[in-house]
Amino acid sequence: MHSLRIRRGYYPLIKPSKSPSLFVPVRLATTLPSPDASILNETTVARDEEGTTTEQGSFFVETVLPARYAEWDVRNWIYQSQAPRTSSRIKDLFSKTDLYGFKVLSVESTPKDGGVFVNFGFNPPPHMNPKDAIKEIEDRLHKDIERKGGIDTWHGLGKADFYRVKGRPWNEDLSVFPTNILKIEFEGPDVHQELLYDIIRPYGRITSMTKPSPVPAGTLRFVTVTFSRIRPAILAKNCLYGIGVADTTLSSAGTANAPTKTRLVFTYERPLKAHWIRDWISSHPRIVLPIVAFLLGGVTYTIFDPIRSFFIRSKVMGYFEYQDWRIVKFFRKNIFQRLSFNIIPSVGSSSTKDGGGSSGEASAAESAASPDKKAPPTSIESAAGEWKERQEAEQALLMYLVDTPSTVAVLHGPQGSGKSKMLAKVLSMTSELSATSSDSAPSHPRKTVVIDCTEIYKAGTEAGIVTSLAAQTGYWPIFSFLSSMNNMIDLASMGLIGQKAGFSTTAEEQMKEILEVTAGALAQVSVDLKSKMEKEKKAHPTQSKPRIVVPAAPLSTSQTPAEKAEGSGQERVSTAVVDTKEEGKEGSMITKAMSSSVTAVSSSVSAVGSVVQSGVAGASQEFQGLLGKAGLSGDKEGEGKDDIDWALSSHSPGGLPRILDESVNALPVVILSNFAAKNAGKKEDLLDVIAGWAASLVENQVAHVIVISDNRENMRRLAKALPSKPLLSISLGDADPATAMTFVRSKISALGPVQSLTPEDEAWVEKLGGRASDLDSLIHKVQNGLSVKDAVQTIVAQGVGELRKAAFGDDVDDAKDLPWKPEQAWIVLKQLAKQDELSYAEVLLEFPFKGDEAALRAMEHAELISITTTDGLPISIRPGKPVYRYVFQRLVNDNIFRAVQDIGYNNKAIAAEEATIKKCEEELLTLKTIGLEVGNSIWGGTGAAGSRATYLLEKMRASQEKIVAKEKDVKKLKVVLSTMGAEPPKA
């Protein structure tokens, strides 16, 4: 029978018997040494001064203090004060035994492992093994301590136990906290796995044990042991640290190996290796980066987008506008306005809707209350009177806002033409047209979102562009700093995986995200407003009366001076909320006008009519007259309310609806101000993004969209974004001469009693036309001491310099960058100096344009000319400003400048005619190769080739005559340049 290598303490599966086929289980003799026999030097020998030797060892008492499992584990800090008392109590318990001279030398707590080391000394008999003596002492201590009630644990549940320390105790405070995994390093040859298992198994169940693996030179080999719990790992580490093991296992031949000593070093091992997650992420970027991008997008969509939508709705609805809170209005009306030092006049206080108001509104109210006291108009619009073109524009804009949105409205006109003020006025009209309005329920002003494109263009970086758009829409929170970080991540991913991770986005993509969230918020605003109106309608079912639009113009064809005076006063009341000093700043004017509660609407200026209620107390006599003609007036308050019927629809101009449906009134209005590419520079792609968003709003009927621009150039972008429907173009021109003169006369008269306009001054003012910016410049110059004549001449002189640079450039290189040719600008300028307007078709077809419509559009975009349209088709060409006609005349009368430009124009014309002659010559040579006589056909007479040749010859003759005439003109012009005797330009 071969010898079997059997582990100590285990039964073999079979045992041979006398019968060869019969096997019975039996326990064989031990062939391996016991673990205690393999452990070397459990104690140390100490010698005192007298030469007496003492054996020393240690016990480890567990769970008397809370173990510390992490840096943030506060239990150890809480029970730290109990450590001295716990150590003293344990010392008392262990000091009751005196077997073999047992004596407690010291007690050391281990706060991190939650235990206590009890260091002791004893003197065993000379013939006795110290290990056997320690076993007897340990048994005696167990009995004595158990008899005294045991050792209390730190949590008071159960009793603590103590174990013999077989190694060398190491009490350390490193930031390596207890875990259920121990790393056992071998300082010497490897210890057999079975022996190692037998040594550490008494402390607790082991779930796994690894085998030693190859390590770099100079590194200790190790195994990793995983316990089922942390407590066994703590016991094994503290009781076996630094233990010396002699491995005397049998060889495969059955002989014992020479004993080898190995020191075991125990350390805690973290369940997860340090930085392994970071290392894995850095080593798998192709997997990690797309997942991170997906998670970030999901977080943004599920968490941040609803928050952003809420803040957008808050900005539109004015949730955080404390001026509109009821409690603020109450205190302002009942407390602040009653103070003795209140600067707001009582008339202004009573005229405001909520009891508050501004000094401008108060002064306007005083003017309306005192017809005899005439105040100068604050702007051209105030002096407009019956301005037919503006009334038609107001009517078209109002009709757009009272209907469901189907297209984009483009309100264009020169700077200072009052686009923003007219829009604010029309919006105030629509706020009064509510089908659910009643005597007690308040009206609902239209909610607006104003996006000033100029603020977006001013941003120098992509982050600035996104931040500007977000601030105007109320989009928050926004993490602009992530843009640069995302660019860095994409740059790093290009180096790691050769492609971008997709984190970075362009400014256009970020704008699309903001505008998409804004569109969703606007849709929710419409739903909220509809719900609010329906609740008010149910709350006032018997009081709800439709508000009627009574057109002013069809009912009254003439006005008395008193009516005009009162009408102008009403106009001042309705427009006093707009800051006229900022007329050129479209965005700021709209924002101020939108935030005001304008309730008074002029009956004399309005193109559509006035919003009235039957039986309104305190109505003017003229206004009651209008109601009487319509059959709506009553002698007493409330009389005639039941007589309102649908007969008034015949008075509505252009089929204007009398009642604004609540679903339309609930739609917000999006205003895109300063929508012009000339301010965009190299950021014109941003206009395409905004145009596409505006088109989607009207297609989905989310909001009305009104675009404000100085010209029609960018209508093409909107038309491209909305190809299936035509745009609504509303044009505002300059004021007529009478209105402009009234405005200037009133402003000049306000400067002092001496100031007045003479007939000569009026002639000079007429040269400026009705452009508000030029008239304001005139007023400022007159205020600074210049005469009207000198001021106008200064404006014309400035226009000459500006026009020369804008139309022809500073030099030749600058002229090459212009989108038109110098001869094209010169011929239009020269003809407009003689005529008020030119035919668009004639200019387009003749030299030097020859169908080049882009040049004319570019000149209109630069405000050199203005192109008037009828039904969307260009009809005529006029100067970009009224004063430009005299600027053109000044340039044309400059002999040197005219000679230079005429020479250039004639040279281009000569080159064009020579090119025509050359083409005719080439075609004549082609006709000659046909082989027929040029003048006769086969059947006699002139054939097709002959007719064509005759036409070409006549065309050559005409071109040659033009060349001769142009060359004569060039010679004369060169004489003018050579003599340098140019006369001074005439005004």
Side-chain angles (χ1 to χ4, degrees):
M1 185 69 183
H2 295 287
S3 63
L4 298 177
R5 186 180 181 185
I6 306 299
R7 290 179 58 187
R8 180 186 63 81
Y10 289 86
Y11 294 95
L13 295 177
I14 55 174
K15 174 182 179 296
S17 65
K18 295 180 180 179
S19 175
S21 60
L22 182 63
F23 292 87
V24 293
V26 66
R27 183 170 184 177
L28 297 181
T30 302
T31 59
L32 289 177
S34 65
D36 290 340
S38 301
I39 298 174
L40 305 176
N41 301 329
E42 290 188 18
T43 61
T44 58
V45 179
R47 190 182 300 273
D48 57 10
E49 296 178 355
E50 298 178 355
T52 304
T53 60
T54 302
E55 295 287 342
Q56 295 183 357
S58 300
F59 290 119
F60 179 73
V61 186
E62 61 159 349
T63 64
V64 293
L65 294 173
R68 188 178 183 185
Y69 297 138
E71 289 282 356
W72 45 264
D73 194 345
V74 298
R75 298 177 305 166
N76 187 268
W77 300 340
I78 296 174
Y79 287 89
Q80 189 174 7
S81 60
Q82 298 182 5
R85 184 173 56 184
T86 301
S87 300
S88 177
R89 186 173 65 252
I90 292 175
K91 185 176 181 179
D92 294 340
L93 289 174
F94 278 81
S95 299
K96 302 299 182 181
T97 302
D98 57 355
L99 182 63
Y100 300 128
F102 178 83
K103 181 181 180 181
V104 177
L105 301 178
S106 64
V107 177
E108 298 179 8
S109 63
T110 58
K112 187 173 67 175
D113 293 330
V116 171
F117 284 110
V118 179
N119 302 319
F120 61 89
F122 67 101
N123 296 313
H127 63 276
M128 190 176 187
N129 190 341
K131 293 182 179 180
D132 298 335
I134 292 179
K135 289 181 180 179
E136 294 182 11
I137 294 172
E138 184 178 0
D139 294 339
R140 175 71 64 83
L141 287 173
H142 274 292
K143 293 179 182 178
D144 293 344
I145 293 174
E146 186 177 355
R147 187 168 55 251
K148 295 177 181 179
I151 305 173
D152 295 331
T153 58
W154 69 273
H155 47 69
L157 301 176
K159 299 297 181 179
D161 201 356
F162 65 93
Y163 298 84
R164 181 170 24 128
V165 177
K166 300 178 180 180
R168 297 292 180 266
W170 183 33
N171 191 4
E172 41 82 18
D173 58 351
L174 301 176
S175 295
V176 181
F177 301 101
T179 64
N180 64 328
I181 303 175
L182 285 179
K183 178 181 179 182
I184 305 176
E185 295 177 313
F186 302 139
E187 293 184 356
D190 293 348
V191 178
H192 197 273
Q193 188 177 23
E194 295 178 358
L195 178 60
L196 185 62
Y197 177 86
D198 290 338
I199 293 174
I200 62 178
R201 177 63 180 82
Y203 300 100
R205 182 175 177 272
I206 300 173
T207 58
S208 66
M209 179 187 295
T210 63
K211 294 182 178 180
S213 58
V215 294
T219 305
L220 298 178
R221 289 165 62 85
F222 64 91
V223 297
T224 302
V225 179
T226 303
F227 292 88
S228 60
R229 294 183 301 163
I230 298 178
R231 174 180 171 273
I234 294 175
L235 293 175
K237 188 258 183 184
N238 287 277
C239 295
L240 299 177
Y241 185 89
I243 187 176
V245 178
D247 193 354
T248 57
T249 57
L250 298 178
S251 65
S252 60
T255 61
N257 293 326
T260 57
K261 181 181 179 180
T262 301
R263 183 174 182 267
L264 304 183
V265 179
F266 292 75
T267 55
Y268 296 115
E269 187 75 6
R270 293 183 180 179
L272 297 178
K273 293 182 179 180
H275 311 305
W276 76 272
I277 297 178
R278 183 186 65 186
D279 296 339
W280 188 89
I281 290 175
S282 61
S283 59
H284 298 82
R286 292 178 180 269
I287 301 175
V288 174
L289 292 179
I291 294 176
V292 172
F294 174 77
L295 293 177
L296 290 177
V299 169
T300 301
Y301 181 77
T302 56
I303 298 178
F304 290 109
D305 279 0
I307 297 175
R308 291 160 176 164
S309 178
F310 167 76
F311 279 102
I312 293 173
R313 297 198 308 271
S314 301
K315 182 178 179 64
V316 176
M317 300 293 292
Y319 292 154
F320 302 122
E321 295 291 338
Y322 67 91
Q323 298 91 343
D324 297 332
W325 294 352
R326 292 183 178 179
I327 186 171
V328 175
K329 292 180 179 180
F330 174 80
F331 280 106
R332 184 170 55 187
K333 180 179 180 180
N334 296 281
I335 297 179
F336 298 112
Q337 290 187 358
R338 300 191 180 192
L339 297 178
S340 59
F341 54 88
N342 184 21
I343 61 174
I344 302 178
S346 58
V347 178
S349 305
S350 61
S351 63
T352 56
K353 183 178 179 179
D354 58 354
S358 63
S359 58
E361 294 173 348
S363 61
E366 289 180 352
S367 299
S370 304
D372 298 335
K373 184 179 179 181
K374 297 182 179 180
T378 57
S379 64
I380 286 187
E381 285 189 274
S382 303
E386 296 293 335
W387 190 352
K388 181 179 179 181
E389 291 79 4
R390 186 167 298 276
Q391 292 177 2
E392 294 175 353
E394 289 180 359
Q395 177 181 350
L397 186 58
L398 182 58
M399 291 186 65
Y400 171 74
L401 291 175
V402 298
D403 197 2
T404 55
S406 59
T407 185
V408 177
V410 181
L411 182 61
H412 60 90
Q415 291 184 0
S417 57
K419 301 182 291 294
S420 300
K421 183 177 292 187
M422 190 195 75
L423 177 58
K425 178 181 177 182
V426 174
L427 285 174
S428 67
M429 293 180 184
T430 60
S431 66
E432 298 294 332
L433 302 177
S434 177
T436 59
S437 298
S438 64
D439 295 338
S440 58
S443 61
H444 297 280
R446 295 296 292 270
K447 304 301 180 182
T448 59
V449 176
V450 182
I451 299 178
D452 190 356
C453 298
T454 302
E455 298 298 326
I456 300 177
Y457 304 148
K458 290 179 181 179
T461 60
E462 292 186 355
I465 292 173
V466 175
T467 303
S468 176
L469 179 61
Q472 295 186 72
T473 57
Y475 183 90
W476 188 88
I478 180 172
F479 308 105
S480 57
F481 66 92
L482 292 180
S483 178
S484 57
M485 186 181 298
N486 292 336
N487 293 333
M488 294 177 62
I489 293 175
D490 271 358
L491 184 63
S493 65
M494 283 292 294
L496 291 174
I497 62 178
Q499 61 183 9
K500 291 185 177 181
F503 280 90
S504 62
T505 55
T506 61
E508 290 80 3
E509 294 174 348
Q510 296 181 57
M511 288 181 61
K512 288 180 180 179
E513 294 178 0
I514 295 175
L515 294 176
E516 288 176 359
V517 177
T518 304
L522 292 178
Q524 187 62 38
V525 166
S526 178
V527 173
D528 295 342
L529 286 176
K530 289 179 183 177
S531 176
K532 184 178 180 180
M533 292 178 182
E534 290 178 356
K535 291 181 180 178
E536 292 180 355
K537 186 176 182 180
K538 293 179 180 179
H540 308 280
T542 59
Q543 297 179 0
S544 297
K545 292 293 181 180
R547 298 195 177 225
I548 309 302
V549 177
V550 182
L555 301 179
S556 178
T557 57
S558 61
Q559 287 183 320
T560 64
E563 291 174 341
K564 292 183 179 180
E566 185 168 354
S568 62
Q570 294 176 355
E571 173 65 12
R572 285 192 293 273
V573 173
S574 62
T575 60
V577 295
V578 182
D579 187 2
T580 57
K581 295 182 180 180
E582 300 183 2
E583 191 166 350
K585 301 179 181 179
E586 309 287 352
S588 61
M589 287 185 58
I590 296 176
T591 304
K592 293 180 180 179
M594 297 307 106
S595 61
S596 302
S597 300
V598 183
T599 57
V601 182
S602 170
S603 63
S604 61
V605 180
S606 174
V608 181
S610 303
V611 181
V612 297
Q613 288 182 337
S614 301
V616 176
S620 63
Q621 183 178 0
E622 293 80 3
F623 197 67
Q624 291 291 343
L626 295 177
L627 293 177
K629 294 179 181 179
L632 296 176
S633 61
D635 297 335
K636 298 181 180 180
E637 183 177 355
E639 185 176 342
K641 288 185 177 180
D642 297 333
D643 297 331
I644 300 176
D645 54 72
W646 302 99
L648 287 177
S649 59
S650 60
H651 295 286
S652 300
L656 181 67
R658 299 175 299 103
I659 303 175
L660 179 60
D661 186 66
E662 61 186 28
S663 61
V664 177
N665 192 42
L667 294 177
V669 180
V670 177
I671 302 172
L672 303 178
S673 179
N674 295 319
F675 192 78
K678 69 176 183 179
N679 299 325
K682 297 182 179 179
K683 303 172 184 176
E684 294 187 9
D685 294 339
L686 305 180
L687 294 177
D688 296 332
V689 175
I690 299 176
W693 176 67
S696 66
L697 290 180
V698 296
E699 285 180 341
N700 299 322
Q701 295 187 352
V702 175
H704 290 90
V705 180
I706 300 176
V707 178
I708 300 179
S709 179
D710 293 340
N711 49 57
R712 300 179 301 108
E713 179 65 22
N714 293 293
M715 289 180 62
R716 293 186 175 183
R717 298 179 183 272
L718 296 168
K720 185 178 180 181
L722 196 65
S724 60
K725 299 177 182 178
L727 301 177
L728 175 61
S729 178
I730 303 175
S731 176
L732 288 182
D734 299 314
D736 56 0
T739 303
M741 189 62 65
T742 302
F743 172 73
V744 175
R745 188 181 293 110
S746 62
K747 285 290 186 179
I748 295 293
S749 300
L751 297 179
V754 183
Q755 298 288 344
S756 61
L757 287 179
T758 63
E760 182 182 1
D761 293 338
E762 293 181 355
W764 283 100
V765 172
E766 289 178 357
K767 293 186 176 182
L768 299 181
R771 181 61 54 91
S773 57
D774 292 336
L775 295 178
D776 288 337
S777 178
L778 171 65
I779 299 301
H780 290 313
K781 287 179 171 53
V782 173
Q783 288 178 347
N784 293 331
L786 292 179
S787 63
V788 174
K789 178 180 178 181
D790 295 338
V792 174
Q793 288 182 344
T794 302
I795 294 174
V796 173
Q798 291 176 353
V800 170
E802 295 174 357
L803 184 65
R804 182 177 296 180
K805 179 179 180 180
F808 304 99
D810 292 331
D811 50 25
V812 178
D813 295 333
D814 193 13
K816 292 180 181 179
D817 297 333
L818 296 175
W820 58 81
K821 299 177 182 178
E823 59 271 13
Q824 293 175 333
W826 172 248
I827 192 63
V828 173
L829 182 151
K830 188 176 181 180
Q831 293 179 6
L832 286 176
K834 302 176 182 178
Q835 307 176 30
D836 293 336
E837 64 180 17
L838 304 176
S839 173
Y840 182 86
E842 292 180 1
V843 174
L844 183 63
L845 297 177
E846 295 295 332
F847 178 82
F849 289 96
K850 293 292 186 181
D852 186 9
E853 191 175 6
L856 287 174
R857 294 291 183 182
M859 294 172 67
E860 182 191 21
H861 185 62
E863 296 184 355
L864 300 179
I865 60 174
S866 63
I867 300 175
T868 58
T869 59
T870 302
D871 296 333
L873 298 177
I875 299 299
S876 61
I877 300 174
R878 295 179 180 178
K881 294 181 180 180
V883 73
Y884 272 4
R885 181 182 179 187
Y886 301 95
V887 174
F888 294 163
Q889 293 176 358
R890 178 74 67 89
L891 286 175
V892 171
N893 293 333
D894 188 342
N895 293 337
I896 297 178
F897 183 79
R898 183 180 69 248
V900 172
Q901 297 300 326
D902 282 341
I903 290 174
Y905 173 79
N906 290 333
N907 288 335
K908 295 293 183 179
I910 291 172
E913 298 299 336
E914 289 179 347
T916 302
I917 293 175
K918 187 175 182 180
K919 290 180 180 179
C920 294
E921 291 174 348
E922 292 175 354
E923 190 172 353
L924 287 173
L925 293 176
T926 303
L927 292 175
K928 185 177 181 181
T929 60
I930 295 177
L932 299 176
E933 292 292 336
V934 175
N936 299 318
S937 65
I938 299 176
W939 308 104
T942 303
S947 299
R948 182 62 179 173
T950 302
Y951 168 75
L952 293 175
L953 291 172
E954 291 177 355
K955 190 173 183 179
M956 290 175 61
R957 183 183 300 107
S959 297
Q960 181 61 29
E961 291 176 356
K962 292 180 180 178
I963 291 174
V964 173
K966 295 294 182 183
E967 288 180 347
K968 291 181 180 179
D969 293 339
V970 170
K971 291 181 181 179
K972 295 179 180 179
L973 294 171
K974 289 182 178 180
V975 173
V976 174
L977 292 177
S978 63
T979 56
M980 297 296 291
E983 299 178 0
K986 299 179 181 179

